[in-house]
Short mmCIF file of all heavy atoms in Angstrom, two decimals:
data_model
loop_
_atom_site.label_atom_id
_atom_site.label_comp_id
_atom_site.label_asym_id
_atom_site.label_seq_id
_atom_site.Cartn_x
_atom_site.Cartn_y
_atom_site.Cartn_z
N LEU L 9 160.62 10.60 -15.85
CA LEU L 9 161.51 10.15 -16.93
C LEU L 9 160.80 10.18 -18.28
O LEU L 9 161.34 10.70 -19.27
CB LEU L 9 162.01 8.73 -16.64
CG LEU L 9 163.07 8.60 -15.56
CD1 LEU L 9 163.23 7.15 -15.14
CD2 LEU L 9 164.39 9.18 -16.04
N VAL L 10 159.60 9.63 -18.35
CA VAL L 10 158.86 9.59 -19.61
C VAL L 10 158.51 11.00 -20.07
O VAL L 10 158.58 11.31 -21.26
CB VAL L 10 157.61 8.69 -19.49
CG1 VAL L 10 156.71 8.82 -20.70
CG2 VAL L 10 158.04 7.23 -19.30
N SER L 11 158.14 11.87 -19.14
CA SER L 11 157.76 13.23 -19.53
C SER L 11 158.93 14.02 -20.12
O SER L 11 158.72 14.98 -20.85
CB SER L 11 157.17 13.99 -18.33
OG SER L 11 158.18 14.36 -17.41
N ALA L 12 160.15 13.60 -19.83
CA ALA L 12 161.33 14.30 -20.35
C ALA L 12 161.62 13.97 -21.82
O ALA L 12 162.43 14.65 -22.45
CB ALA L 12 162.56 13.96 -19.50
N LEU L 13 160.96 12.96 -22.35
CA LEU L 13 161.19 12.58 -23.75
C LEU L 13 160.53 13.59 -24.68
O LEU L 13 159.38 13.99 -24.46
CB LEU L 13 160.64 11.17 -24.01
CG LEU L 13 161.27 10.07 -23.16
CD1 LEU L 13 160.54 8.75 -23.37
CD2 LEU L 13 162.75 9.93 -23.47
N LEU L 14 161.22 13.98 -25.73
CA LEU L 14 160.74 15.01 -26.63
C LEU L 14 159.42 14.66 -27.31
O LEU L 14 158.64 15.56 -27.62
CB LEU L 14 161.79 15.32 -27.70
CG LEU L 14 163.07 15.98 -27.18
CD1 LEU L 14 164.07 16.16 -28.32
CD2 LEU L 14 162.77 17.31 -26.50
N VAL L 15 159.15 13.39 -27.54
CA VAL L 15 157.92 13.01 -28.23
C VAL L 15 156.69 13.06 -27.34
O VAL L 15 155.56 12.99 -27.83
CB VAL L 15 158.04 11.60 -28.87
CG1 VAL L 15 159.11 11.58 -29.94
CG2 VAL L 15 158.26 10.53 -27.83
N VAL L 16 156.87 13.22 -26.04
CA VAL L 16 155.76 13.14 -25.08
C VAL L 16 155.27 14.54 -24.73
O VAL L 16 156.05 15.40 -24.34
CB VAL L 16 156.20 12.39 -23.81
CG1 VAL L 16 155.10 12.39 -22.76
CG2 VAL L 16 156.61 10.96 -24.16
N ASP L 17 153.97 14.74 -24.86
CA ASP L 17 153.36 16.03 -24.54
C ASP L 17 152.83 16.11 -23.12
O ASP L 17 152.79 17.18 -22.53
CB ASP L 17 152.25 16.34 -25.54
CG ASP L 17 152.82 16.55 -26.93
OD1 ASP L 17 153.54 17.53 -27.12
OD2 ASP L 17 152.57 15.71 -27.82
N ALA L 18 152.38 15.00 -22.56
CA ALA L 18 151.87 14.98 -21.19
C ALA L 18 151.88 13.55 -20.67
O ALA L 18 151.75 12.60 -21.45
CB ALA L 18 150.46 15.56 -21.12
N VAL L 19 152.01 13.43 -19.35
CA VAL L 19 152.00 12.12 -18.68
C VAL L 19 151.01 12.19 -17.54
O VAL L 19 150.95 13.19 -16.81
CB VAL L 19 153.40 11.76 -18.14
CG1 VAL L 19 153.35 10.48 -17.33
CG2 VAL L 19 154.41 11.63 -19.27
N VAL L 20 150.23 11.13 -17.40
CA VAL L 20 149.31 10.99 -16.28
C VAL L 20 149.52 9.61 -15.66
O VAL L 20 149.82 8.65 -16.38
CB VAL L 20 147.84 11.20 -16.72
CG1 VAL L 20 147.37 10.09 -17.65
CG2 VAL L 20 146.91 11.33 -15.53
N ILE L 21 149.41 9.53 -14.36
CA ILE L 21 149.53 8.24 -13.66
C ILE L 21 148.12 7.73 -13.42
O ILE L 21 147.24 8.49 -13.01
CB ILE L 21 150.29 8.42 -12.33
CG1 ILE L 21 151.72 8.90 -12.60
CG2 ILE L 21 150.30 7.11 -11.53
CD1 ILE L 21 152.48 9.36 -11.36
N PHE L 22 147.90 6.43 -13.68
CA PHE L 22 146.57 5.85 -13.49
C PHE L 22 146.66 4.57 -12.67
O PHE L 22 147.71 3.94 -12.59
CB PHE L 22 145.88 5.60 -14.83
CG PHE L 22 146.40 4.40 -15.59
CD1 PHE L 22 145.74 3.19 -15.55
CD2 PHE L 22 147.55 4.50 -16.35
CE1 PHE L 22 146.22 2.09 -16.25
CE2 PHE L 22 148.04 3.41 -17.05
CZ PHE L 22 147.36 2.20 -17.00
N SER L 23 145.53 4.20 -12.09
CA SER L 23 145.46 2.95 -11.35
C SER L 23 144.58 1.98 -12.12
O SER L 23 143.80 2.38 -12.97
CB SER L 23 144.91 3.19 -9.94
OG SER L 23 143.61 3.73 -10.03
N GLY L 24 144.74 0.71 -11.82
CA GLY L 24 143.93 -0.30 -12.49
C GLY L 24 144.75 -1.12 -13.46
O GLY L 24 145.86 -0.75 -13.83
N LEU L 25 144.16 -2.22 -13.88
CA LEU L 25 144.86 -3.13 -14.77
C LEU L 25 144.74 -2.75 -16.24
O LEU L 25 145.49 -3.23 -17.08
CB LEU L 25 144.35 -4.56 -14.56
CG LEU L 25 144.54 -5.10 -13.13
CD1 LEU L 25 144.02 -6.52 -13.04
CD2 LEU L 25 146.00 -5.02 -12.71
N THR L 26 143.77 -1.89 -16.56
CA THR L 26 143.63 -1.37 -17.92
C THR L 26 143.56 0.15 -17.85
O THR L 26 143.34 0.73 -16.78
CB THR L 26 142.36 -1.88 -18.64
OG1 THR L 26 141.21 -1.29 -18.01
CG2 THR L 26 142.28 -3.40 -18.60
N VAL L 27 143.69 0.78 -18.99
CA VAL L 27 143.66 2.24 -19.07
C VAL L 27 142.28 2.73 -19.52
O VAL L 27 142.12 3.86 -19.95
CB VAL L 27 144.81 2.73 -19.99
CG1 VAL L 27 144.51 2.45 -21.46
CG2 VAL L 27 145.14 4.18 -19.74
N ASN L 28 141.25 1.89 -19.37
CA ASN L 28 139.91 2.24 -19.81
C ASN L 28 139.40 3.56 -19.25
O ASN L 28 138.78 4.34 -19.97
CB ASN L 28 138.92 1.12 -19.48
CG ASN L 28 138.99 -0.02 -20.46
OD1 ASN L 28 139.12 0.20 -21.67
ND2 ASN L 28 138.93 -1.24 -19.98
N ASP L 29 139.63 3.83 -17.97
CA ASP L 29 139.12 5.07 -17.38
C ASP L 29 139.72 6.30 -18.05
O ASP L 29 139.02 7.27 -18.31
CB ASP L 29 139.41 5.11 -15.88
CG ASP L 29 138.50 4.18 -15.09
OD1 ASP L 29 137.48 3.71 -15.64
OD2 ASP L 29 138.81 3.93 -13.91
N VAL L 30 141.02 6.27 -18.33
CA VAL L 30 141.66 7.41 -19.00
C VAL L 30 141.11 7.54 -20.43
O VAL L 30 140.82 8.64 -20.89
CB VAL L 30 143.20 7.27 -19.01
CG1 VAL L 30 143.85 8.41 -19.79
CG2 VAL L 30 143.75 7.21 -17.59
N LEU L 31 140.95 6.43 -21.11
CA LEU L 31 140.39 6.45 -22.47
C LEU L 31 139.00 7.08 -22.47
O LEU L 31 138.70 7.94 -23.31
CB LEU L 31 140.32 5.04 -23.05
CG LEU L 31 141.66 4.43 -23.45
CD1 LEU L 31 141.52 2.93 -23.65
CD2 LEU L 31 142.20 5.09 -24.70
N ARG L 32 138.14 6.67 -21.55
CA ARG L 32 136.79 7.24 -21.49
C ARG L 32 136.83 8.73 -21.16
O ARG L 32 136.01 9.50 -21.66
CB ARG L 32 135.96 6.50 -20.45
CG ARG L 32 135.54 5.11 -20.87
CD ARG L 32 134.59 4.49 -19.83
NE ARG L 32 134.53 3.07 -20.01
CZ ARG L 32 135.19 2.17 -19.26
NH1 ARG L 32 135.94 2.56 -18.25
NH2 ARG L 32 135.07 0.89 -19.51
N THR L 33 137.77 9.13 -20.33
CA THR L 33 137.85 10.52 -19.89
C THR L 33 138.31 11.45 -21.00
O THR L 33 137.70 12.50 -21.21
CB THR L 33 138.81 10.65 -18.68
OG1 THR L 33 138.29 9.85 -17.61
CG2 THR L 33 138.94 12.08 -18.22
N ILE L 34 139.36 11.08 -21.73
CA ILE L 34 139.89 12.02 -22.74
C ILE L 34 139.57 11.64 -24.17
O ILE L 34 139.75 12.45 -25.08
CB ILE L 34 141.42 12.22 -22.59
CG1 ILE L 34 142.19 10.95 -22.91
CG2 ILE L 34 141.75 12.79 -21.22
CD1 ILE L 34 143.69 11.17 -23.08
N GLN L 35 139.11 10.41 -24.40
CA GLN L 35 138.73 9.93 -25.73
C GLN L 35 139.73 10.34 -26.82
O GLN L 35 139.42 11.10 -27.74
CB GLN L 35 137.32 10.41 -26.09
CG GLN L 35 136.28 9.87 -25.13
CD GLN L 35 134.87 10.17 -25.54
OE1 GLN L 35 134.60 10.88 -26.51
NE2 GLN L 35 133.92 9.63 -24.79
N PRO L 36 140.95 9.81 -26.71
CA PRO L 36 141.96 10.16 -27.72
C PRO L 36 141.55 9.64 -29.10
O PRO L 36 140.79 8.67 -29.22
CB PRO L 36 143.21 9.43 -27.22
CG PRO L 36 142.68 8.28 -26.44
CD PRO L 36 141.43 8.80 -25.78
N ASP L 37 142.06 10.28 -30.12
CA ASP L 37 141.76 9.85 -31.49
C ASP L 37 142.28 8.44 -31.73
O ASP L 37 141.66 7.66 -32.45
CB ASP L 37 142.39 10.82 -32.49
CG ASP L 37 141.87 12.23 -32.29
OD1 ASP L 37 140.73 12.49 -32.72
OD2 ASP L 37 142.58 13.04 -31.67
N VAL L 38 143.42 8.14 -31.13
CA VAL L 38 144.04 6.83 -31.33
C VAL L 38 144.64 6.33 -30.01
O VAL L 38 145.25 7.11 -29.27
CB VAL L 38 145.09 6.87 -32.47
CG1 VAL L 38 146.17 7.87 -32.22
CG2 VAL L 38 145.69 5.50 -32.73
N HIS L 39 144.44 5.08 -29.75
CA HIS L 39 145.05 4.40 -28.59
C HIS L 39 146.16 3.51 -29.15
O HIS L 39 145.90 2.63 -29.98
CB HIS L 39 144.00 3.56 -27.86
CG HIS L 39 144.56 2.81 -26.69
ND1 HIS L 39 144.11 1.56 -26.36
CD2 HIS L 39 145.51 3.12 -25.78
CE1 HIS L 39 144.77 1.13 -25.30
NE2 HIS L 39 145.63 2.06 -24.93
N CYS L 40 147.37 3.73 -28.71
CA CYS L 40 148.52 3.01 -29.23
C CYS L 40 148.97 1.93 -28.26
O CYS L 40 149.11 2.18 -27.06
CB CYS L 40 149.68 3.98 -29.48
SG CYS L 40 149.26 5.28 -30.66
N LYS L 41 149.21 0.75 -28.79
CA LYS L 41 149.72 -0.37 -28.00
C LYS L 41 150.94 -0.94 -28.71
O LYS L 41 151.10 -0.78 -29.92
CB LYS L 41 148.66 -1.46 -27.85
CG LYS L 41 147.45 -1.05 -27.04
CD LYS L 41 147.78 -0.74 -25.59
CE LYS L 41 147.71 -1.96 -24.73
NZ LYS L 41 147.81 -1.66 -23.30
N GLY L 42 151.77 -1.65 -27.95
CA GLY L 42 152.98 -2.23 -28.49
C GLY L 42 152.74 -3.48 -29.30
O GLY L 42 151.63 -4.03 -29.35
N THR L 43 153.80 -3.96 -29.92
CA THR L 43 153.70 -5.08 -30.85
C THR L 43 153.49 -6.43 -30.18
O THR L 43 153.37 -7.44 -30.88
CB THR L 43 154.95 -5.14 -31.76
OG1 THR L 43 156.10 -5.25 -30.92
CG2 THR L 43 155.05 -3.90 -32.63
N ASP L 44 153.40 -6.46 -28.85
CA ASP L 44 153.04 -7.71 -28.19
C ASP L 44 151.52 -7.91 -28.25
O ASP L 44 151.01 -8.91 -27.78
CB ASP L 44 153.56 -7.77 -26.75
CG ASP L 44 153.35 -6.50 -25.96
OD1 ASP L 44 153.20 -5.43 -26.56
OD2 ASP L 44 153.36 -6.58 -24.72
N TYR L 45 150.81 -6.96 -28.85
CA TYR L 45 149.36 -7.05 -29.07
C TYR L 45 149.06 -7.06 -30.56
O TYR L 45 149.89 -6.67 -31.38
CB TYR L 45 148.65 -5.82 -28.47
CG TYR L 45 148.68 -5.75 -26.98
CD1 TYR L 45 149.68 -5.05 -26.31
CD2 TYR L 45 147.71 -6.39 -26.21
CE1 TYR L 45 149.71 -4.99 -24.94
CE2 TYR L 45 147.73 -6.33 -24.82
CZ TYR L 45 148.73 -5.62 -24.19
OH TYR L 45 148.77 -5.56 -22.83
N THR L 46 147.84 -7.45 -30.88
CA THR L 46 147.25 -7.17 -32.19
C THR L 46 146.05 -6.28 -31.89
O THR L 46 145.61 -6.19 -30.74
CB THR L 46 146.76 -8.46 -32.90
OG1 THR L 46 145.68 -9.03 -32.14
CG2 THR L 46 147.89 -9.47 -33.05
N VAL L 47 145.51 -5.63 -32.90
CA VAL L 47 144.34 -4.77 -32.68
C VAL L 47 143.24 -5.57 -31.98
O VAL L 47 142.55 -5.07 -31.10
CB VAL L 47 143.85 -4.16 -34.01
CG1 VAL L 47 142.51 -3.46 -33.84
CG2 VAL L 47 144.89 -3.18 -34.56
N GLU L 48 143.09 -6.83 -32.35
CA GLU L 48 142.02 -7.67 -31.79
C GLU L 48 142.26 -8.07 -30.34
O GLU L 48 141.32 -8.39 -29.62
CB GLU L 48 141.83 -8.94 -32.64
CG GLU L 48 141.32 -8.68 -34.05
CD GLU L 48 142.38 -8.12 -35.00
OE1 GLU L 48 143.60 -8.35 -34.78
OE2 GLU L 48 141.98 -7.44 -35.96
N THR L 49 143.52 -8.08 -29.87
CA THR L 49 143.80 -8.54 -28.51
C THR L 49 144.02 -7.40 -27.51
O THR L 49 144.25 -7.67 -26.33
CB THR L 49 145.05 -9.45 -28.48
OG1 THR L 49 146.20 -8.72 -28.91
CG2 THR L 49 144.85 -10.69 -29.34
N VAL L 50 143.93 -6.16 -27.94
CA VAL L 50 144.09 -5.03 -27.03
C VAL L 50 142.94 -5.04 -26.02
O VAL L 50 141.77 -5.03 -26.42
CB VAL L 50 144.13 -3.69 -27.81
CG1 VAL L 50 144.05 -2.50 -26.87
CG2 VAL L 50 145.38 -3.63 -28.68
N PRO L 51 143.24 -5.09 -24.73
CA PRO L 51 142.19 -5.20 -23.71
C PRO L 51 141.17 -4.05 -23.74
O PRO L 51 140.01 -4.24 -23.40
CB PRO L 51 142.95 -5.19 -22.38
CG PRO L 51 144.34 -5.55 -22.71
CD PRO L 51 144.58 -5.11 -24.13
N GLU L 52 141.60 -2.87 -24.16
CA GLU L 52 140.73 -1.70 -24.17
C GLU L 52 140.04 -1.47 -25.51
O GLU L 52 139.40 -0.44 -25.72
CB GLU L 52 141.56 -0.45 -23.79
CG GLU L 52 142.26 -0.54 -22.46
CD GLU L 52 143.65 -1.17 -22.51
OE1 GLU L 52 144.07 -1.65 -23.59
OE2 GLU L 52 144.33 -1.18 -21.47
N ARG L 53 140.13 -2.42 -26.40
CA ARG L 53 139.62 -2.26 -27.77
C ARG L 53 138.15 -1.83 -27.81
O ARG L 53 137.78 -0.91 -28.53
CB ARG L 53 139.80 -3.57 -28.53
CG ARG L 53 139.35 -3.51 -29.98
CD ARG L 53 139.71 -4.80 -30.71
NE ARG L 53 139.36 -4.71 -32.10
CZ ARG L 53 138.25 -5.22 -32.62
NH1 ARG L 53 137.39 -5.86 -31.85
NH2 ARG L 53 138.00 -5.10 -33.91
N GLU L 54 137.31 -2.47 -27.02
CA GLU L 54 135.87 -2.16 -27.04
C GLU L 54 135.60 -0.73 -26.55
O GLU L 54 134.72 -0.06 -27.07
CB GLU L 54 135.08 -3.17 -26.22
CG GLU L 54 135.07 -4.58 -26.81
CD GLU L 54 134.54 -4.62 -28.25
OE1 GLU L 54 133.52 -3.95 -28.53
OE2 GLU L 54 135.16 -5.32 -29.08
N THR L 55 136.35 -0.29 -25.57
CA THR L 55 136.20 1.08 -25.07
C THR L 55 136.52 2.08 -26.17
O THR L 55 135.78 3.05 -26.38
CB THR L 55 137.13 1.31 -23.85
OG1 THR L 55 136.75 0.39 -22.83
CG2 THR L 55 137.05 2.73 -23.34
N VAL L 56 137.61 1.85 -26.88
CA VAL L 56 138.02 2.76 -27.96
C VAL L 56 136.98 2.76 -29.08
O VAL L 56 136.59 3.82 -29.58
CB VAL L 56 139.42 2.37 -28.49
CG1 VAL L 56 139.80 3.21 -29.69
CG2 VAL L 56 140.46 2.51 -27.38
#
């Protein structure tokens, strides 16, 4: 469903409570989180 959205270029399924492993693997320029977070409260902030 998510991959069918025009704004999405690729989808990967991951395991774990955080996305740290994917972040370390591809090192995106920016990690985006929703407005229920602040930059300071993002669990993966230190990895990024």
Side-chain angles (χ1 to χ4, degrees):
L9 286 166
V10 170
S11 74
L13 300 173
L14 293 177
V15 297
V16 176
D17 294 294
V19 174
V20 66
I21 298 169
F22 75 99
S23 60
L25 300 181
T26 70
V27 74
N28 281 319
D29 286 346
V30 176
L31 287 165
R32 287 186 198 101
T33 300
I34 67 167
Q35 298 187 355
D37 300 284
V38 58
H39 178 216
C40 301
K41 294 296 272 189
T43 57
D44 45 338
Y45 292 93
T46 65
V47 170
E48 294 75 25
T49 63
V50 170
E52 303 88 355
R53 182 174 184 261
E54 293 304 317
T55 299
V56 174

